[in-house]
Amino acid sequence: MTIASEFTVDTLIDARWIIPVEPTHQTLLHHSIAISNGKITAILPTSEAHTKFTAKQHFQLKDHALIPGLINLHTHAAMSLLRGLADDLPLMNWLKDHIWPAESRHASPEFVKDGTLLACAEMIQGGITTFNDMYFFPEAAAEAALASKMRAALGLITIDFPTAYASDADDYLSKGLAMRDRYNGENLLSFCMAPHAPYTVGDETLAKVLTYAEQLELPIHIHLHETLNEIEQSLTQYHQRPIQRLHNLGLLTPSLLAVHAVHLTPQEITLLAKQGCHVAHCPTSNLKLASGIAPVDTMLAKGINIGLGTDGAASNNRLDMFAEMRLAALLAKGSSGKAEILPAYQALEMATLNAAKALGIDALTGSLKPGKAADITAVNLSALSTSPCYDAASHLIYASGREHVSHVWVNGDNLLNEGKLVTLDSQELKAKANYWQGRIKQ
Ligand SMILES: CSC[C@H]1O[C@@H](n2cnc3c(O)ncnc32)[C@H](O)[C@@H]1O
Ligand SMILES: [Zn+2]
C-alpha cells in the first residue's frame, strides 16, 4: 500500500551529510532539503522526507555533503580575461605597468560581459553561488550574473581619475546609481558602494560615497591597507594612515567592508572591531602580490567578522573558494603558531554566513535554513582522496577541492548538474576567451 505524500515540493535533495552552518557546528547525517519557490522549506531526516514529500525533481546524493553555496566576498570577475597577463609583480607595478594599461585599452561593456560570464562558469563549477564584484561597466556584470543565474553584489565603482567607463567621480557615481536603479528589485542582485581604494579616491568623493551609502543603505566595499606602500603614500599625502583617514571621514561603520586588511596595528584592529567593520580576507592574492599576511588570528580574537575572497583572476589566478578556505586556515595557524586557530568549520563559516553578513544579505543566504533561499553546493566525498571520511567539514577544507563539486543550486535553480554547467555553454565561453586573447595580444 502506498501512503500518499503530504506535500509536493519543487525539489528534494537527499545527502549523506548536510552542514547547515546555522545552527553552528552541526553535521546532519542522512538528511534531505526540501525546496519550493526557490526557498528551503524543510531540512529533515531522509526517511521522513520520503514519506512526507513528493518532489518534482529528486536528487539522491548518497556520497555527498551539502553546504551553503560559497560566497566570493571580493572579486573583479571580468578580469578572468586578463588571467596570466602579468604575474610575479608587486601590486603597484602590476597595476600601473600592466593591468591599468590593458584595462584602458580593452575594458568595455562587451569585455565585462564576456569576462564575467567566463568567471561565473568557473565560480559555479567551484561551488560559488554569490560573488561580490567591483569592476567597470557593472551593468554588463549584472547581465552576466542574470544570464548565469548566480547571485551577485554589484559595486557602484568610484575612482577619481577618468577611464573608459567614466570621466570623473560624479560620472562614476551617477552611472553607478543608474545601474542600481535599473536592477533594484532583481531577486538575485544586490549592490555596494565601491570606492576603489584610499589612493585612488579623495576625501570629497569618499564623503559623497558615504552619503549615498547611508541614503540607500548599501555596504561600502573598498581595498584597504593592502600594502605597506599604500600606507606610506597616505602618510605622505594625508599625514595619516588610511584607516584613520576613513575614520575621520565617518566611513568606519558596520557598513564598511575592508578588502585585504593586511597591514594593521593592534589599535587599528581594535578600531575596526569597535566600529563593527567587516573584512574580506584574500589570502592567495595577498601572497601572490607579496602584499603580506593578514593578522587573521588577532582580528578573530577581537571579534571582527571576516569573509573570504579570491580577488580577480589576474592576481590569484583562480576563482577557487576551496583554495581560499584551505589557505586561510593554514596561514592563520602558521602565522600565529597556534594549530587550533581557524578550524575547518570556521573556514566554512567565513566563506558562507560571514560573507553574507558583510553584504547585508544574511536573511536571504549564507546558511541552510528553512525560509532562506536555496543556495546550495553539493560536494562528492567518495573520491579516494576523501575516503574514509570521519568528519565532512574537515574533508571539505583540508582534503577535497573544487574538482569534487558536483551540483550547485541558486535560489532553487540547478546551475551545475553532475559537474555539468546548466545555464552556461562552455564551448561558447572558450570561443569568447580565445577571441579576447587575440585582441589583447595585439
Ligand atoms: C575600478 S574597478 C577595480 C579596479 O581594481 C583593480 N584591482 C584588481 N585587483 C586589485 C587589488 O588587489 N588591489 C587594488 N586594485 C585592484 C582592477 O584592475 C580595476 O582597475
Ligand atoms: Zn581587488
Side-chain angles (χ1 to χ4, degrees):
M1 190 180 83
T2 318
I3 300 168
S5 299
E6 213 176 307
F7 300 113
T8 299
V9 295
D10 291 338
T11 306
L12 191 65
I13 313 170
D14 309 337
R16 176 143 174 212
W17 299 275
I18 297 178
I19 305 182
V21 173
E22 240 181 339
T24 190
H25 289 98
Q26 244 193 24
T27 301
L28 306 169
L29 273 178
H30 299 295
H31 273 59
S32 302
I33 300 184
I35 300 167
S36 274
N37 301 317
K39 299 251 186 276
I40 296 173
T41 54
I43 302 178
L44 69 177
T46 297
S47 52
E48 277 179 42
H50 287 187
T51 50
K52 196 165 180 187
F53 298 121
T54 299
K56 294 177 195 159
Q57 274 195 303
H58 191 178
F59 295 85
Q60 293 177 295
L61 306 180
K62 66 181 178 53
D63 296 314
H64 302 61
L66 298 183
I67 56 174
L70 300 172
I71 301 179
N72 186 352
L73 189 54
H74 174 69
T75 194
H76 313 278
M79 293 183 82
S80 61
L81 290 174
L82 302 178
R83 187 191 331 248
L85 193 69
D87 292 319
D88 313 318
L89 292 162
L91 176 70
M92 274 317 188
N93 299 64
W94 178 76
L95 278 177
K96 286 186 175 166
D97 301 340
H98 300 273
I99 298 301
W100 283 341
E103 288 176 336
S104 80
R105 279 194 298 274
H106 300 291
S108 65
E110 297 72 34
F111 174 94
V112 174
K113 174 101 187 266
D114 291 345
T116 307
L117 283 170
L118 185 63
C120 287
E122 180 182 358
M123 289 193 279
I124 293 167
Q125 286 178 326
I128 298 169
T129 53
T130 301
F131 63 103
N132 182 26
D133 200 46
M134 179 199 279
Y135 211 62
F136 310 103
F137 302 102
E139 315 64 5
E143 289 300 326
L146 291 173
S148 64
K149 299 197 176 179
M150 279 188 84
R151 201 176 290 287
L154 299 160
L156 280 65
I157 178 70
T158 315
I159 318 182
D160 269 347
F161 56 78
T163 60
Y165 173 55
S167 56
D168 59 19
D170 288 335
D171 195 25
Y172 282 96
L173 286 168
S174 67
K175 285 182 168 146
L177 293 166
M179 182 277 295
R180 182 254 175 202
D181 288 347
R182 178 165 164 200
Y183 293 102
N184 198 22
E186 280 287 352
N187 181 31
L188 292 176
L189 302 181
S190 65
F191 309 91
C192 291
M193 299 307 296
H196 169 255
Y199 51 91
T200 50
V201 187
D203 288 355
E204 203 184 316
T205 305
L206 285 173
K208 289 180 187 169
V209 164
L210 177 61
T211 303
Y212 288 123
E214 286 173 347
Q215 274 178 13
L216 304 172
E217 298 184 20
L218 298 182
I220 301 177
H221 173 198
I222 183 169
H223 295 101
L224 189 60
H225 282 221
E226 180 175 4
T227 61
L228 283 176
N229 173 277
E230 171 192 334
I231 293 166
E232 282 156 14
Q233 188 260 350
S234 176
L235 285 168
T236 305
Q237 191 177 352
Y238 297 101
H239 309 292
Q240 53 195 336
R241 290 164 64 91
I243 284 186
Q244 187 59 48
R245 179 175 154 232
L246 262 55
H247 189 37
N248 293 344
L249 291 167
L251 266 85
L252 294 198
T253 73
S255 296
L256 191 89
L257 172 58
V259 180
H260 298 295
V262 172
H263 298 283
L264 302 171
T265 63
Q267 294 75 20
E268 285 166 342
I269 296 176
T270 304
L271 182 63
L272 290 177
K274 181 169 156 265
Q275 299 300 117
C277 303
H278 308 266
V279 164
H281 176 40
C282 303
T284 303
S285 174
N286 294 340
L287 288 184
K288 185 157 183 285
L289 297 169
S291 304
I293 298 175
V296 168
D297 57 329
T298 322
M299 288 195 275
L300 288 174
K302 290 282 177 187
I304 295 176
N305 179 51
I306 307 178
L308 299 177
T310 58
D311 215 340
S315 68
N316 184 302
N317 295 2
R318 302 159 71 105
L319 303 177
D320 180 351
M321 287 293 290
F322 280 83
E324 301 306 324
M325 290 192 289
R326 183 165 191 268
L327 185 56
L330 300 186
L331 271 182
K333 295 169 201 306
S335 61
S336 66
K338 296 179 218 151
E340 69 276 17
I341 299 287
L342 228 173
Y345 195 91
Q346 195 172 12
L348 182 62
E349 261 174 3
M350 282 184 171
T352 54
L353 189 57
N354 291 10
K357 285 179 181 165
L359 295 174
I361 55 172
D362 51 310
L364 195 61
T365 188
S367 65
L368 302 179
K369 196 171 146 182
K372 282 202 183 187
D375 294 358
I376 305 170
T377 290
V379 186
N380 187 335
L381 294 180
S382 70
L384 288 181
S385 57
T386 49
S387 301
C389 180
Y390 305 107
D391 177 348
S394 164
H395 269 12
L396 289 169
I397 306 306
Y398 299 125
S400 72
R402 67 175 174 180
E403 65 277 15
H404 298 132
V405 171
S406 62
H407 296 73
V408 167
W409 293 263
V410 175
N411 207 41
D413 286 328
N414 183 216
L415 310 194
L416 189 77
N417 192 18
E418 291 177 6
K420 291 203 171 51
L421 291 166
V422 177
T423 51
L424 297 171
D425 179 336
S426 302
Q427 293 312 317
E428 219 174 275
L429 294 171
K430 278 188 201 166
K432 286 271 170 66
N434 289 338
Y435 162 79
W436 282 106
Q437 179 179 358
R439 282 191 59 165
I440 291 164
K441 255 189 165 174
Q442 271 171 8

